[in-house]
Every structure is written in C-alpha cells, then in structure tokens.
Amino acid sequence: GCMLNGKLYPLGHTERTEDCYRCSCSRTLMSCCTLFSTPVAYDKENCEVVFNEKKCDYDVVQKNDPSKECFEVSRV
C-alpha cells in the first residue's frame, strides 16, 4: 500500500481519502489530486470561505449569516 498523512491506503484507486483527495497507489508511486476547488472571486468584504469536510469543498457564505451562501464568480 501507500502512506498519505500517516494513513495506509491499499494499492489501486482511492476515490476519497480522509483529507479529500483522489489517489492512485502503485508499488512504486502514489499520486493524488484534490477533490475541491478554491473560490477566488467573490465579495471578500461581506463573504468568507469555509471548508465543508462533508462535501470536500469550500462554501462561500455571508459573514453576518453563515447559513446564507454568497454569489461566486470563479474557482481554481
């Protein structure tokens, strides 16, 4: 298997790690990519970015009422 952040993953493909990555593990290499994209264009004065572990993605919410989402323009 392969080690990632102190956890052993089996050989083959892992759809989602505990840290929100998708990985492939071989006998000689482990390669991973994130399952989330980072918001870069949003109203930074009135909104904030919060990581949602359940969805493995960032939510952009209103600072004064985090239960309400904010409009985003783009992510990377």
Side-chain angles (χ1 to χ4, degrees):
C2 298
M3 291 291 288
L4 177 66
N5 297 328
K7 182 163 168 72
L8 181 64
Y9 290 92
L11 292 174
H13 186 73
T14 301
E15 279 298 315
R16 179 180 167 173
T17 68
E18 290 178 356
D19 299 332
C20 297
Y21 289 89
R22 178 179 294 131
C23 299
S24 286
C25 172
S26 71
R27 294 186 191 278
T28 58
L29 178 70
M30 183 172 196
S31 62
C32 299
C33 61
T34 63
L35 293 172
F36 51 89
S37 56
T38 305
V40 292
Y42 59 93
D43 179 357
K44 292 179 174 67
E45 186 175 321
N46 296 305
C47 302
E48 64 185 343
V49 175
V50 178
F51 191 71
N52 182 326
E53 290 181 21
K54 192 174 188 177
K55 293 189 326 184
C56 276
D57 205 358
Y58 288 100
D59 293 331
V60 181
V61 297
Q62 294 180 11
K63 287 181 180 179
N64 61 356
D65 186 354
S67 68
K68 295 181 181 174
E69 290 188 44
C70 289
F71 176 73
E72 307 173 43
V73 177
S74 62
R75 290 178 176 240
V76 292

XYZ file of all heavy atoms in Angstrom:
601
model
N 0.812 -1.187 0.000
C 0.000 0.000 0.000
C 0.859 1.256 0.000
O 2.077 1.193 -0.111
N 0.210 2.384 0.166
C 0.869 3.693 0.161
C 0.462 4.480 1.401
O -0.671 4.395 1.852
C 0.468 4.495 -1.071
S 0.924 3.745 -2.637
N 1.397 5.285 1.914
C 1.132 6.123 3.074
C 0.830 7.555 2.620
O 1.518 8.090 1.753
C 2.335 6.160 4.010
C 2.615 4.850 4.707
S 1.372 4.400 5.934
C 1.706 5.552 7.218
N -0.200 8.144 3.200
C -0.530 9.548 2.965
C -0.977 10.135 4.291
O -1.944 9.657 4.891
C -1.646 9.692 1.919
C -2.121 11.108 1.635
C -0.997 11.925 0.970
C -3.349 11.108 0.752
N -0.241 11.124 4.773
C -0.555 11.787 6.047
C -0.738 10.789 7.188
O -1.663 10.895 7.988
C -1.790 12.674 5.909
C -1.584 13.804 4.928
O -0.478 14.306 4.784
N -2.640 14.198 4.247
N 0.137 9.779 7.226
C 0.125 8.810 8.312
C -0.906 7.706 8.194
O -1.054 6.894 9.095
N -1.636 7.649 7.095
C -2.641 6.600 6.898
C -2.248 5.736 5.719
O -1.796 6.235 4.696
C -4.014 7.238 6.659
C -5.113 6.196 6.495
C -6.476 6.820 6.680
C -7.586 5.922 6.245
N -7.897 4.815 7.028
N -2.427 4.435 5.866
C -2.081 3.472 4.822
C -3.288 3.251 3.901
O -4.381 2.948 4.369
C -1.658 2.145 5.446
C -1.241 1.047 4.487
C 0.012 1.450 3.714
C -0.981 -0.250 5.256
N -3.053 3.417 2.592
C -4.091 3.179 1.589
C -3.689 1.985 0.732
O -2.508 1.769 0.475
C -4.287 4.425 0.713
C -4.936 5.553 1.472
C -4.172 6.508 2.126
C -6.319 5.636 1.571
C -4.768 7.529 2.850
C -6.924 6.659 2.289
C -6.145 7.591 2.928
O -6.744 8.592 3.658
N -4.666 1.196 0.280
C -4.353 -0.006 -0.496
C -3.868 0.342 -1.905
O -4.109 1.445 -2.408
C -5.685 -0.751 -0.552
C -6.718 0.320 -0.431
C -6.120 1.367 0.459
N -3.217 -0.621 -2.532
C -2.826 -0.464 -3.932
C -4.083 -0.271 -4.773
O -5.134 -0.835 -4.465
C -2.069 -1.705 -4.418
C -0.687 -1.941 -3.806
C -0.141 -3.282 -4.266
C 0.271 -0.828 -4.169
N -3.974 0.523 -5.811
C -5.114 0.772 -6.685
C -5.621 2.198 -6.532
O -4.894 3.098 -6.136
N -6.886 2.375 -6.831
C -7.500 3.706 -6.873
C -8.340 3.947 -5.620
O -9.140 3.099 -5.229
C -8.382 3.807 -8.128
C -8.945 5.158 -8.358
N -8.170 6.203 -8.798
C -10.188 5.649 -8.196
C -8.937 7.278 -8.909
N -10.167 6.958 -8.549
N -8.170 5.104 -4.999
C -8.976 5.511 -3.847
C -9.786 6.732 -4.262
O -9.213 7.760 -4.627
C -8.083 5.853 -2.632
O -7.294 4.706 -2.298
C -8.914 6.273 -1.436
N -11.105 6.627 -4.237
C -11.976 7.720 -4.670
C -11.914 8.935 -3.756
O -11.989 10.061 -4.215
C -13.433 7.253 -4.754
C -13.770 6.518 -6.016
C -13.606 7.380 -7.270
O -14.041 8.544 -7.281
O -13.040 6.874 -8.241
N -11.801 8.701 -2.443
C -11.788 9.826 -1.497
C -11.035 9.438 -0.233
O -11.425 8.495 0.455
C -13.211 10.225 -1.152
C -13.295 11.347 -0.162
C -14.718 11.700 0.152
N -14.756 12.554 1.330
C -15.846 13.139 1.773
N -16.992 12.952 1.155
N -15.812 13.889 2.839
N -9.965 10.190 0.061
C -9.238 9.976 1.310
C -9.897 10.799 2.408
O -10.785 11.616 2.152
C -7.760 10.410 1.173
O -7.720 11.830 1.021
C -7.074 9.713 0.012
N -9.428 10.632 3.628
C -9.950 11.411 4.752
C -9.696 12.904 4.556
O -10.410 13.739 5.094
C -9.298 10.954 6.057
C -9.735 9.586 6.495
C -9.030 9.146 7.772
O -8.145 9.873 8.264
O -9.372 8.064 8.265
N -8.650 13.247 3.796
C -8.274 14.641 3.572
C -8.808 15.202 2.255
O -8.316 16.216 1.760
C -6.749 14.773 3.589
C -6.152 14.370 4.916
O -6.835 14.500 5.945
O -4.999 13.922 4.932
N -9.770 14.510 1.659
C -10.432 14.987 0.439
C -9.523 14.983 -0.789
O -9.451 15.959 -1.548
C -11.048 16.367 0.653
S -12.350 16.361 1.908
N -8.829 13.891 -0.987
C -8.027 13.683 -2.196
C -8.486 12.417 -2.900
O -9.035 11.507 -2.277
C -6.535 13.534 -1.850
C -5.897 14.810 -1.394
C -5.888 15.174 -0.054
C -5.307 15.674 -2.307
C -5.302 16.351 0.370
C -4.717 16.855 -1.894
C -4.723 17.180 -0.558
O -4.148 18.357 -0.149
N -8.259 12.350 -4.203
C -8.460 11.147 -5.006
C -7.052 10.669 -5.362
O -6.253 11.448 -5.875
C -9.251 11.472 -6.264
C -9.453 10.270 -7.173
C -10.257 10.618 -8.410
N -11.614 10.967 -8.015
C -12.264 12.050 -8.424
N -11.708 12.886 -9.255
N -13.487 12.298 -8.012
N -6.755 9.400 -5.085
C -5.385 8.920 -5.236
C -5.306 7.609 -6.015
O -6.243 6.816 -6.019
C -4.746 8.687 -3.869
S -4.625 10.148 -2.840
N -4.146 7.423 -6.619
C -3.791 6.150 -7.228
C -2.499 5.689 -6.584
O -1.549 6.467 -6.457
C -3.571 6.292 -8.736
O -4.795 6.438 -9.392
N -2.479 4.448 -6.172
C -1.333 3.893 -5.467
C -0.814 2.674 -6.227
O -1.559 1.744 -6.509
C -1.766 3.498 -4.060
S -0.535 2.588 -3.113
N 0.473 2.713 -6.570
C 1.118 1.544 -7.180
C 2.253 1.109 -6.264
O 2.506 1.737 -5.233
C 1.644 1.884 -8.575
O 2.775 2.737 -8.477
N 2.980 0.081 -6.649
C 4.092 -0.395 -5.819
C 5.221 0.634 -5.719
O 5.982 0.611 -4.772
C 4.634 -1.702 -6.375
C 3.646 -2.838 -6.279
C 4.291 -4.159 -6.707
N 3.312 -5.200 -6.855
C 2.822 -5.919 -5.858
N 3.237 -5.692 -4.638
N 1.920 -6.848 -6.091
N 5.310 1.544 -6.678
C 6.421 2.498 -6.692
C 5.995 3.964 -6.566
O 6.844 4.827 -6.393
C 7.226 2.360 -8.001
O 6.342 2.579 -9.110
C 7.858 0.992 -8.112
N 4.700 4.276 -6.647
C 4.285 5.669 -6.710
C 2.870 5.854 -6.174
O 2.000 5.008 -6.363
C 4.325 6.136 -8.175
C 3.883 7.543 -8.497
C 4.890 8.556 -7.961
C 3.751 7.704 -10.008
N 2.673 6.992 -5.520
C 1.321 7.395 -5.135
C 1.104 8.797 -5.690
O 1.897 9.703 -5.454
C 1.137 7.410 -3.623
C -0.268 7.758 -3.198
S -0.497 7.528 -1.440
C -2.267 7.524 -1.323
N 0.043 8.972 -6.460
C -0.281 10.284 -6.994
C -1.696 10.650 -6.560
O -2.589 9.810 -6.576
C -0.146 10.310 -8.513
O -1.042 9.406 -9.093
N -1.862 11.907 -6.158
C -3.148 12.363 -5.637
C -3.498 13.730 -6.210
O -2.620 14.507 -6.578
C -3.094 12.490 -4.121
S -2.745 10.948 -3.245
N -4.797 14.009 -6.264
C -5.275 15.339 -6.622
C -6.446 15.675 -5.710
O -7.121 14.791 -5.196
C -5.657 15.432 -8.095
S -6.966 14.330 -8.589
N -6.680 16.964 -5.523
C -7.736 17.391 -4.616
C -9.110 17.170 -5.243
O -9.257 17.158 -6.458
C -7.605 18.889 -4.275
O -7.754 19.647 -5.464
C -6.288 19.203 -3.598
N -10.088 17.013 -4.395
C -11.477 16.895 -4.829
C -12.181 18.243 -4.762
O -13.346 18.352 -5.107
C -12.233 15.896 -3.947
C -11.796 14.442 -4.069
C -12.497 13.602 -3.002
C -12.107 13.906 -5.444
N -11.479 19.267 -4.322
C -12.097 20.576 -4.126
C -11.398 21.640 -4.961
O -10.269 21.480 -5.382
C -12.068 20.976 -2.649
C -10.714 20.859 -2.004
C -9.821 21.913 -2.029
C -10.334 19.687 -1.369
C -8.575 21.810 -1.443
C -9.090 19.568 -0.770
C -8.210 20.636 -0.808
N -12.117 22.721 -5.205
C -11.545 23.882 -5.889
C -11.690 25.084 -4.957
O -12.615 25.160 -4.155
C -12.247 24.128 -7.219
O -13.630 24.263 -7.010
N -10.761 26.019 -5.074
C -10.717 27.152 -4.166
C -11.392 28.380 -4.783
O -11.012 28.797 -5.878
C -9.254 27.497 -3.823
O -8.625 26.315 -3.317
C -9.175 28.592 -2.789
N -12.371 28.957 -4.089
C -13.006 30.182 -4.585
C -12.001 31.334 -4.590
O -11.271 31.530 -3.615
C -14.122 30.453 -3.578
C -14.332 29.169 -2.856
C -13.016 28.480 -2.862
N -11.941 32.077 -5.690
C -11.007 33.199 -5.789
C -11.700 34.529 -6.084
O -11.146 35.583 -5.794
C -9.916 32.941 -6.851
C -8.989 31.822 -6.403
C -10.505 32.637 -8.201
N -12.866 34.495 -6.656
C -13.565 35.729 -6.992
C -14.935 35.732 -6.325
O -15.843 35.033 -6.760
C -13.699 35.875 -8.501
N -15.030 36.499 -5.248
C -16.285 36.627 -4.504
C -16.212 37.931 -3.708
O -15.153 38.583 -3.654
C -16.518 35.422 -3.581
C -15.423 35.213 -2.563
C -15.522 35.761 -1.292
C -14.290 34.490 -2.871
C -14.520 35.588 -0.364
C -13.282 34.305 -1.951
C -13.400 34.856 -0.695
O -12.395 34.691 0.222
N -17.266 38.339 -3.093
C -17.327 39.573 -2.308
C -16.574 39.361 -0.987
O -17.139 38.905 -0.004
C -18.791 39.942 -2.064
C -18.968 41.208 -1.240
O -17.958 41.794 -0.800
O -20.127 41.606 -1.045
N -15.290 39.696 -0.986
C -14.441 39.433 0.184
C -14.795 40.311 1.391
O -14.468 39.972 2.515
C -12.979 39.589 -0.204
C -12.524 38.504 -1.157
C -11.072 38.695 -1.563
C -10.550 37.554 -2.399
N -11.118 37.393 -3.687
N -15.471 41.400 1.147
C -15.869 42.285 2.250
C -17.028 41.699 3.056
O -17.061 41.774 4.278
C -16.265 43.648 1.701
C -16.550 44.670 2.777
C -16.833 46.042 2.204
O -16.166 46.436 1.227
O -17.740 46.710 2.736
N -17.973 41.071 2.368
C -19.182 40.571 3.028
C -19.256 39.059 3.147
O -20.160 38.536 3.796
C -20.418 41.072 2.275
C -20.531 42.577 2.330
O -20.536 43.160 3.400
N -20.584 43.207 1.164
N -18.327 38.348 2.503
C -18.391 36.888 2.478
C -17.076 36.278 2.949
O -16.030 36.927 2.935
C -18.694 36.413 1.063
S -20.235 37.085 0.411
N -17.152 35.010 3.348
C -15.960 34.283 3.755
C -16.017 32.861 3.208
O -17.083 32.340 2.896
C -15.806 34.274 5.266
C -16.907 33.560 6.019
C -16.772 33.675 7.528
O -15.685 34.031 8.013
O -17.758 33.407 8.223
N -14.852 32.247 3.122
C -14.723 30.897 2.602
C -14.563 29.940 3.783
O -13.733 30.163 4.661
C -13.499 30.803 1.664
C -13.277 29.373 1.216
C -13.679 31.722 0.475
N -15.380 28.888 3.804
C -15.355 27.902 4.877
C -15.262 26.522 4.240
O -16.022 26.201 3.319
C -16.645 27.994 5.738
C -16.649 26.944 6.824
C -16.819 29.385 6.304
N -14.317 25.681 4.735
C -14.191 24.338 4.178
C -15.273 23.430 4.741
O -15.478 23.354 5.951
C -12.814 23.743 4.459
C -12.562 22.481 3.683
C -12.364 22.532 2.316
C -12.561 21.251 4.303
C -12.156 21.379 1.578
C -12.343 20.092 3.580
C -12.147 20.157 2.219
N -15.975 22.725 3.865
C -17.043 21.806 4.239
C -16.491 20.389 4.079
O -16.389 19.875 2.970
C -18.254 22.037 3.328
C -19.423 21.173 3.679
O -19.278 20.039 4.108
N -20.621 21.709 3.467
N -16.106 19.774 5.202
C -15.491 18.436 5.164
C -16.441 17.377 4.625
O -16.010 16.420 3.992
C -15.002 18.041 6.555
C -13.811 18.846 7.013
C -13.319 18.440 8.374
O -13.612 17.301 8.818
O -12.636 19.248 9.012
N -17.719 17.536 4.876
C -18.706 16.552 4.419
C -18.762 16.506 2.886
O -18.829 15.447 2.281
C -20.072 16.893 5.001
C -21.107 15.824 4.861
C -22.372 16.212 5.608
C -23.347 15.068 5.629
N -24.543 15.392 6.409
N -18.734 17.692 2.249
C -18.794 17.788 0.788
C -17.418 17.757 0.146
O -17.317 17.665 -1.073
C -19.483 19.095 0.371
C -20.930 19.183 0.701
C -21.650 20.371 0.098
C -20.867 21.629 -0.048
N -21.614 22.781 -0.546
N -16.353 17.883 0.948
C -14.990 18.011 0.414
C -14.906 19.183 -0.556
O -14.398 19.073 -1.670
C -14.533 16.730 -0.282
S -13.861 15.507 0.857
N -15.436 20.315 -0.133
C -15.400 21.503 -0.974
C -15.555 22.730 -0.083
O -15.927 22.630 1.079
C -16.526 21.463 -2.002
C -16.220 22.283 -3.237
O -15.143 22.918 -3.292
O -17.059 22.299 -4.147
N -15.255 23.892 -0.661
C -15.404 25.145 0.062
C -16.786 25.728 -0.168
O -17.314 25.677 -1.276
C -14.358 26.157 -0.410
C -12.965 25.844 0.057
C -12.059 25.228 -0.782
C -12.558 26.175 1.347
C -10.770 24.945 -0.356
C -11.275 25.899 1.786
C -10.388 25.282 0.925
O -9.123 25.001 1.351
N -17.355 26.289 0.886
C -18.594 27.047 0.787
C -18.227 28.519 0.928
O -17.350 28.880 1.723
C -19.564 26.683 1.919
C -20.082 25.263 1.814
O -20.175 24.736 0.684
O -20.409 24.678 2.866
N -18.872 29.375 0.172
C -18.714 30.819 0.315
C -20.011 31.318 0.935
O -21.076 31.203 0.342
C -18.440 31.495 -1.050
C -18.263 32.992 -0.861
C -17.221 30.886 -1.712
N -19.890 31.823 2.174
C -21.071 32.212 2.943
C -20.970 33.659 3.404
O -19.878 34.236 3.454
C -21.261 31.281 4.164
C -21.525 29.855 3.722
C -20.069 31.351 5.097
N -22.105 34.219 3.763
C -22.138 35.587 4.270
C -21.507 35.628 5.665
O -21.773 34.761 6.499
C -23.572 36.098 4.327
C -24.213 36.245 2.975
C -25.637 36.765 3.071
O -26.102 37.210 4.111
N -26.337 36.690 1.945
N -20.670 36.628 5.900
C -20.007 36.758 7.201
C -21.010 36.967 8.330
O -20.850 36.417 9.420
C -19.021 37.929 7.187
C -17.775 37.663 6.393
C -16.843 38.863 6.446
C -15.580 38.602 5.637
N -14.676 39.768 5.652
N -22.045 37.770 8.079
C -23.014 38.072 9.135
C -24.109 37.007 9.287
O -24.853 37.027 10.258
C -23.648 39.454 8.932
C -24.405 39.564 7.622
O -24.406 38.637 6.816
N -25.043 40.704 7.413
N -24.185 36.069 8.329
C -25.156 34.973 8.420
C -24.628 33.771 7.619
O -24.975 33.589 6.454
C -26.518 35.401 7.882
C -27.593 34.346 8.097
O -27.263 33.228 8.570
O -28.761 34.616 7.779
N -23.783 32.943 8.257
C -23.157 31.812 7.563
C -24.135 30.778 7.003
O -23.738 29.908 6.232
C -22.272 31.179 8.638
C -22.053 32.248 9.638
C -23.292 33.098 9.614
N -25.417 30.893 7.342
C -26.391 29.952 6.777
C -26.769 30.336 5.347
O -27.408 29.566 4.642
C -27.644 29.873 7.649
O -28.352 31.096 7.594
N -26.364 31.535 4.914
C -26.680 32.013 3.571
C -25.429 32.020 2.697
O -24.388 32.519 3.101
C -27.271 33.421 3.619
C -28.608 33.471 4.320
C -29.161 34.870 4.321
C -30.510 34.925 5.043
N -30.979 36.306 5.172
N -25.579 31.465 1.491
C -24.467 31.425 0.559
C -24.279 32.763 -0.138
O -25.203 33.554 -0.237
C -24.700 30.337 -0.493
C -24.590 28.941 0.072
C -24.641 27.888 -1.009
O -23.988 28.061 -2.056
O -25.347 26.895 -0.792
N -23.061 32.972 -0.631
C -22.743 34.169 -1.410
C -22.549 33.775 -2.870
O -22.182 32.644 -3.178
C -21.442 34.787 -0.924
S -21.567 35.567 0.678
N -22.751 34.740 -3.723
C -22.518 34.537 -5.152
C -21.017 34.519 -5.415
O -20.274 35.341 -4.908
C -23.183 35.669 -5.940
C -22.914 35.600 -7.417
C -23.528 34.648 -8.202
C -22.023 36.473 -8.019
C -23.270 34.575 -9.555
C -21.769 36.410 -9.372
C -22.389 35.451 -10.146
N -20.563 33.543 -6.196
C -19.159 33.434 -6.560
C -19.009 33.651 -8.058
O -19.897 33.351 -8.823
C -18.620 32.031 -6.316
C -18.794 31.457 -5.003
C -18.352 30.009 -5.029
O -17.309 29.688 -5.622
O -19.067 29.201 -4.460
N -17.822 34.117 -8.439
C -17.554 34.315 -9.849
C -16.678 33.193 -10.398
O -16.955 32.655 -11.457
C -16.904 35.692 -10.104
C -16.551 35.861 -11.564
C -17.823 36.799 -9.632
N -15.630 32.808 -9.666
C -14.757 31.745 -10.204
C -14.010 31.004 -9.095
O -13.893 31.480 -7.981
C -13.755 32.319 -11.202
O -12.916 33.244 -10.552
N -13.507 29.825 -9.490
C -12.720 28.963 -8.598
C -11.502 28.468 -9.348
O -11.497 28.403 -10.567
C -13.537 27.742 -8.157
C -14.660 28.060 -7.216
C -15.431 26.800 -6.882
N -16.458 27.063 -5.899
C -16.520 26.476 -4.710
N -15.647 25.567 -4.382
N -17.464 26.790 -3.860
N -10.481 28.093 -8.585
C -9.292 27.459 -9.184
C -8.992 26.183 -8.446
O -9.389 25.968 -7.357
C -8.052 28.374 -9.169
C -8.248 29.527 -10.096
C -7.705 28.829 -7.785
